[in-house]
Amino acid sequence: MEEKHDEGFPAPGTFVIISIFFVMFVLFYFLNWKWLSMVWNIGK
Amino acid sequence: MANGSEFRTCPITGKKVFAATQNLIWINAVTAVVFILIGGIMALLVGLTRWPAVHLLSADLFYRFLTAHGLNMLIFWIIFFEIAGLYFGSSVLLNSRLAAPKVAWLAYILMLVGAVLVDVMVFTGKATVMFSSYVPLQADPLYYLGIILFAVGALIGCGIFFGTLAIAKAEKTYEGSVPLMTFGLSAAAIIAVFTLACGAIIYIPTLLWSLGLITNLDPGVYRLIFWGLGHSSQQINVTAMVSIWYLLGALTVGAKPVNEKICRFAFLLYILFINLASEHHLLTDPTLSPAHKMVNTSYFMYMAVLASMIHALAIPMAVEVAQRKKGYTKGLFEWLTKAPWGEPGFPALIFSLFIFGFIGGITGVVYGTEQLAIKSHNTWAMTGHFHGTVVGGTTLAFMGLTYYVIPLIFRREIIGKKLATLQPYIFAIGIILIALGMGGAGTLGSPRRHWDITFADAVIPYSFDPAVLFFTTIAAIGVIVAVVGGAMYVGVSVLSVFFGRKMAPNEAKIL
């Protein structure tokens, strides 16, 4: 029977870098909306 | 022979380099470097004026030089280099003669005359209208004529690129699909046709208006069409830069994308959607309907973001896979730590990727969001964003490529290899400081395009948070560092092109 080789994701380092990128993206997005909400104090 | 069919064979790549192509790449690239030199000097003067501790120039000279900085960097340096890139990506990569070299020279002359005309008008104070030259600000008619000549010349350059693709296909100079870089440059050229056509379309009535032949020019219409040139020209840069990333990955570590079809699809997304990013300039204008703004900037524009995400994953992934194949498999990052950091092309590629993605890209998407754009658009944070994209991203990638073009195409050995290797590091540090400094100060409200943020002569005084001064100082230090890095680039490339040792025809050496 032919043995099946699963080498997994070929670029785990890139995966980590891209994950950090996404986290920074989300944080920056959130911070900007937060700042916007502080500038426009709707309802206060 | 005079028909442009004489060529040499590159001893490294095996590609045919036609003499006519080589000369045109040379003249366009050298001219580009002259304009980055002018733009860089302006950057130093403008940067030191924004810094309250120095406040170098008078208001008049500040706005004059800021106009010159924007035009020389964003348009002349980049587009001359891109035209050189288009001739390289079509003729050299496809082993084909260049379509109509004489017309390509005409295109070059039109671009050069246009750029010189614009610079003369700006430096003599007859066109202190900033990069955007918003109507009803009026410049000398020769300024508008200069832009039109430049845009028409660049359009012809794009035509030469497409003509060369057609010749290569007809004469079967390559097999299978065109290389990924040529495909990417085709996307850039398609975007360029739209962009430059917008430039020609809007500046013709503006020229007539400045001559007094048209009495009324609608500022809303001007802004709408101008940003088809103003911002879309930066989309040409993004697309060309990504193409160069793929080439630099191949040249430095032999990287090949894991899935090239996905990469080509991402370029297609750029053609279809990337120009929507221009709309953030129009978010407060009545020209477009709210529904249009919302649908395009909040939904469709993300298709272009998706394309950038694909490239951002594909390129480091290709580098990692190539490095792992060489045996650098230890841990998560041995492939990166053992990469050729001592060759200028590799740090230029990685810093360009990093600055474009982590600084320019993230801020661009966030500031492009309708509600957030209103808060940030006229602040220095926006300037920080595009210094991350067009300088840290595009310019740095172009610089990295130059160190390979000089030996491969111009057949000259690089003079000052250590300086060339150090240069991307210095330039990247400078740009990171600039982008972060501008971003920090802008987030705290510091305005863009402003001569004096202390408002010393203002009728109504205003003081920013003291942190603005801190961030402004960071940006100013960044300007000085980046200008040093830029000067190293100009010095090494000019010395190498004119005085570098001529390489033997069969000498198979890059650096």
Side-chain angles (χ1 to χ4, degrees):
Chain A
M1 211 170 96
E2 200 176 306
E3 198 179 338
K4 194 180 174 186
H5 290 283
D6 183 10
E7 292 175 355
F9 188 66
T14 300
F15 183 78
V16 172
I17 293 169
I18 296 297
S19 301
I20 294 168
F21 174 80
F22 274 118
V23 170
M24 285 187 65
F25 204 150
V26 170
L27 272 177
F28 193 70
Y29 213 90
F30 171 78
L31 279 174
N32 271 272
W33 278 102
K34 182 72 185 161
W35 285 325
L36 182 65
S37 73
M38 287 156 71
V39 175
W40 286 344
N41 270 321
I42 297 170
K44 287 192 178 177
Chain B
M1 282 180 285
N3 65 357
S5 62
E6 57 200 28
F7 66 88
R8 64 176 172 82
T9 303
C10 176
I12 300 163
T13 61
K15 298 281 185 191
K16 287 179 184 172
V17 182
F18 288 81
T21 310
Q22 182 173 321
N23 293 339
L24 280 156
I25 293 174
W26 190 93
I27 194 71
N28 279 283
V30 168
T31 309
V33 173
V34 172
F35 284 108
I36 198 180
L37 175 65
I38 298 170
I41 294 167
M42 296 303 107
L44 184 65
L45 299 175
V46 166
L48 290 179
T49 306
R50 282 285 312 219
W51 191 11
V54 179
H55 204 51
L56 187 67
L57 301 173
S58 65
D60 171 45
L61 284 181
F62 173 78
Y63 290 110
R64 197 183 294 189
F65 291 172
L66 186 56
T67 306
H69 172 63
L71 287 159
N72 281 279
M73 291 306 215
L74 285 172
I75 301 288
F76 304 149
W77 140 249
I78 298 258
I79 294 184
F80 270 114
F81 199 95
E82 279 165 353
I83 294 293
L86 289 181
Y87 296 158
F88 172 80
S90 54
S91 176
V92 178
L93 290 186
L94 298 181
N95 278 317
S96 169
R97 66 188 169 85
L98 197 71
K102 285 180 185 168
V103 181
W105 276 101
L106 173 70
Y108 168 76
I109 290 166
L110 283 175
M111 287 171 69
L112 183 66
V113 170
V116 170
L117 213 50
V118 167
D119 268 353
V120 169
M121 288 302 108
V122 172
F123 284 121
T124 52
K126 292 176 183 167
T128 310
V129 288
M130 314 295 281
F131 172 73
S132 46
S133 56
Y134 282 145
V135 170
L137 271 179
Q138 197 174 65
D140 191 285
L142 288 177
Y143 170 84
Y144 302 113
L145 181 66
I147 300 271
I148 293 167
L149 290 177
F150 184 86
V152 170
L155 260 175
I156 295 171
C158 292
I160 299 290
F161 170 78
F162 291 121
T164 308
L165 294 190
I167 287 173
K169 191 168 176 61
E171 296 180 357
K172 295 186 174 69
T173 61
Y174 64 96
E175 288 176 3
S177 304
V178 295
L180 185 58
M181 187 191 175
T182 307
F183 188 87
L185 287 173
S186 305
I190 291 168
I191 297 168
V193 169
F194 166 81
T195 302
L196 296 165
C198 283
I201 288 167
I202 195 56
Y203 276 111
I204 289 170
T206 313
L207 169 66
L208 297 176
W209 168 72
S210 71
L211 287 167
L213 299 173
I214 291 178
T215 50
N216 184 36
L217 192 59
D218 187 330
V221 172
Y222 176 87
R223 282 168 59 84
L224 177 70
I225 304 176
F226 170 79
W227 284 115
L229 165 78
H231 204 92
S232 301
S233 57
Q234 309 321 308
Q235 317 304 0
I236 312 171
N237 303 342
V238 170
T239 313
M241 171 194 69
V242 173
S243 309
I244 287 171
W245 282 348
Y246 284 111
L247 182 65
L248 282 175
L251 286 169
T252 53
V253 296
K256 276 186 177 176
V258 175
N259 188 331
E260 213 175 286
K261 280 183 183 167
I262 293 280
C263 303
R264 287 172 193 254
F265 174 69
F267 279 120
L268 189 65
L269 288 177
Y270 273 162
I271 296 172
L272 295 173
F273 297 104
I274 201 166
N275 277 339
L276 296 176
S278 308
E279 285 204 17
H280 75 260
H281 293 280
L282 307 167
L283 289 175
T284 54
D285 287 24
T287 322
L288 302 169
S289 72
H292 180 100
K293 290 173 189 169
M294 223 173 284
V295 168
N296 285 291
T297 63
S298 301
Y299 295 95
F300 289 158
M301 198 191 79
Y302 284 91
M303 299 303 283
V305 178
L306 172 68
S308 289
M309 295 284 189
I310 290 171
H311 294 305
L313 179 64
I315 293 165
M317 189 174 176
V319 170
E320 180 171 356
V321 169
Q323 285 287 87
R324 284 182 183 274
K325 275 185 187 164
K326 290 176 188 166
Y328 301 121
T329 54
K330 203 173 157 188
L332 281 173
F333 295 114
E334 193 191 22
W335 62 275
L336 193 57
T337 56
K338 296 280 173 66
W341 291 97
E343 276 182 33
F346 191 78
L349 166 66
I350 297 299
F351 293 141
S352 171
L353 257 167
F354 171 78
I355 299 171
F356 182 86
F358 279 77
I359 297 177
I362 288 178
T363 54
V365 176
V366 172
Y367 296 157
T369 306
E370 189 169 6
Q371 297 86 339
L372 301 175
I374 289 167
K375 182 174 75 69
S376 60
H377 188 81
N378 285 321
T379 72
W380 220 24
M382 198 59 78
T383 318
H385 148 70
F386 66 71
H387 277 77
T389 53
V390 79
V391 192
T394 307
T395 293
L396 190 49
F398 286 7
M399 287 171 164
L401 182 65
T402 305
Y403 300 123
Y404 295 86
V405 168
I406 290 170
L408 279 172
I409 306 296
F410 306 153
R411 302 302 289 155
R412 295 276 187 166
E413 195 174 25
I414 295 285
I415 291 179
K417 286 176 195 165
K418 283 187 181 170
L419 268 184
T421 302
L422 193 61
Q423 187 270 326
Y425 293 88
I426 305 280
F427 193 72
I429 291 167
I431 296 301
I432 290 169
L433 291 176
I434 289 173
L436 295 182
M438 287 177 172
T443 302
L444 293 166
S446 185
R448 67 196 289 189
R449 296 174 159 186
H450 205 286
W451 170 63
D452 178 21
I453 60 160
T454 64
F455 299 102
D457 298 331
V459 177
I460 303 169
Y462 184 79
S463 295
F464 284 112
D465 187 304
V468 166
L469 187 59
F470 167 76
F471 283 118
T472 305
T473 305
I474 296 284
I477 293 168
V479 168
I480 295 165
V481 176
V483 166
V484 170
M488 288 163 72
Y489 167 74
V490 172
V492 168
S493 51
V494 169
L495 284 175
S496 304
V497 164
F498 288 102
F499 306 108
R501 181 181 64 82
K502 281 187 182 171
M503 298 170 79
N506 59 349
E507 196 174 337
K509 178 182 161 191
I510 300 180
L511 290 166

